[in-house]
Amino acid sequence: MSPLRLPWLDDRPDAPFPDPSTALREPDGLLAAGGDLQPLRLLAAYRAGIFPWFSDGEPPLWWSPDPRVVFRTDRVATSRRFRRSLRTSMWTVRADTAFETVIAHCAAVRRRGQHGTWITGEMQDAYVRLHRLGHAHSVEAWDGERLVGGIYGVAIGRAFFGESMFSLVPDGSKVALAGLATRLHDWGWPLIDAQVGNPHLLSLGAEAWPRGEFLAAVSRLVDQPGLEGSWTSAFGSLPASALARPPA
């Protein structure tokens, strides 16, 4: 369906979004078009369970799919082979020490069935702004001082909205995801939004929730005390070997 036949957001950064229940069934979750990627609008979108996803040459497109794919932070699945490799791993997991590098690597990943990237230069600039304001964060897997994988997303209250992840070597993104889930669970944050499912995410323990259930959980979590600003100190340096325990 053409974006011109969707609800169109005006230029006010605080313009309200349509009710997610009015999103299209096909393509699943397409809700609105227009507006921009200024911090106020992005944060309002995430608070409402909405995220942007569009390609170069398109206006901003806003989505709230049904079902919504999430990870419970205490149930990220790790295979026995993966846990065995973690036990002897010298890698570490850190946060917010290479945000711009992480998002650039995520943009460069070639994904099956996609031509180009949806993480355009405009999108990268928008999330770098959010990062500098203390709302967007990266979690990175390091082999010494060599970056081997990472994930980035947006945090509001005690909700983490994952955007993308990458690996430069096998298991790099898995270690970053497991480290993020472990630390969020330590902090009392129960969920990581993964937006739209695929076989890889489901193999790692992601669950498909009805949109209404997801939105109800988000509405509670975004109003709880969170952790704004840099996560580098609070996250610390987490040894990958500490992630070897089996899922709950």
Side-chain angles (χ1 to χ4, degrees):
M1 178 177 288
S2 166
L4 294 177
R5 298 165 66 182
L6 290 167
W8 195 267
L9 302 180
D10 64 34
D11 293 335
R12 293 175 296 133
D14 60 347
F17 285 90
D19 187 327
S21 68
T22 65
L24 298 180
R25 291 185 178 272
E26 182 60 40
D28 179 28
L30 183 55
L31 177 66
D36 54 36
L37 301 179
Q38 292 301 314
L40 185 62
R41 194 187 305 268
L42 280 173
L43 293 174
Y46 284 106
R47 290 185 70 91
I50 299 163
F51 60 88
W53 185 22
F54 59 98
S55 300
D56 265 334
E58 295 180 331
L61 300 176
W62 303 90
W63 303 76
S64 185
D66 186 12
R68 189 65 162 251
V69 173
V70 302
F71 287 99
R72 299 177 191 261
T73 57
D74 62 344
R75 297 186 191 176
V76 172
T78 53
S79 69
R80 290 182 179 177
R81 180 204 62 80
F82 181 51
R83 293 197 300 275
R84 283 198 302 269
S85 70
L86 287 176
R87 292 188 187 104
T88 58
S89 175
M90 300 302 291
W91 292 6
T92 57
V93 184
R94 309 175 204 163
D96 287 344
T97 64
F99 184 89
E100 293 185 38
T101 303
V102 167
I103 195 171
H105 279 302
C106 288
V109 172
R110 293 188 176 185
R111 304 181 196 276
R112 183 176 301 175
Q114 293 185 10
H115 301 284
T117 179
W118 59 269
I119 309 175
T120 63
E122 180 184 7
M123 291 282 271
Q124 291 183 56
D125 290 345
Y127 286 89
V128 168
R129 283 195 296 271
L130 274 188
H131 171 66
R132 292 174 178 169
L133 291 170
H135 303 295
H137 306 278
S138 63
V139 173
E140 312 109 18
W142 295 90
D143 180 2
E145 293 305 312
R146 180 170 69 109
L147 182 66
V148 294
I151 183 172
Y152 79 94
V154 175
I156 304 176
R158 292 190 181 180
F160 188 88
F161 303 90
E163 278 294 319
S164 187
M165 57 185 180
F166 78 96
S167 291
L168 296 181
V169 302
D171 292 338
S173 62
K174 288 184 185 179
V175 170
L177 174 63
L180 169 64
T182 294
R183 196 57 92 214
L184 292 181
H185 182 62
D186 291 344
W187 294 345
W189 299 36
L191 298 178
I192 299 170
D193 174 30
Q195 299 180 348
V196 179
N198 59 47
H200 177 61
L201 294 179
L202 297 176
S203 75
L204 296 176
E207 304 174 5
W209 286 17
R211 180 170 54 209
E213 183 179 348
F214 170 78
L215 294 177
V218 165
S219 69
R220 296 190 299 270
L221 292 171
V222 296
D223 287 332
Q224 295 181 16
L227 184 63
E228 294 185 10
S230 172
W231 281 8
T232 302
S233 178
F235 195 98
S237 182
L238 181 63
S241 57
L243 307 173
R245 66 177 182 270

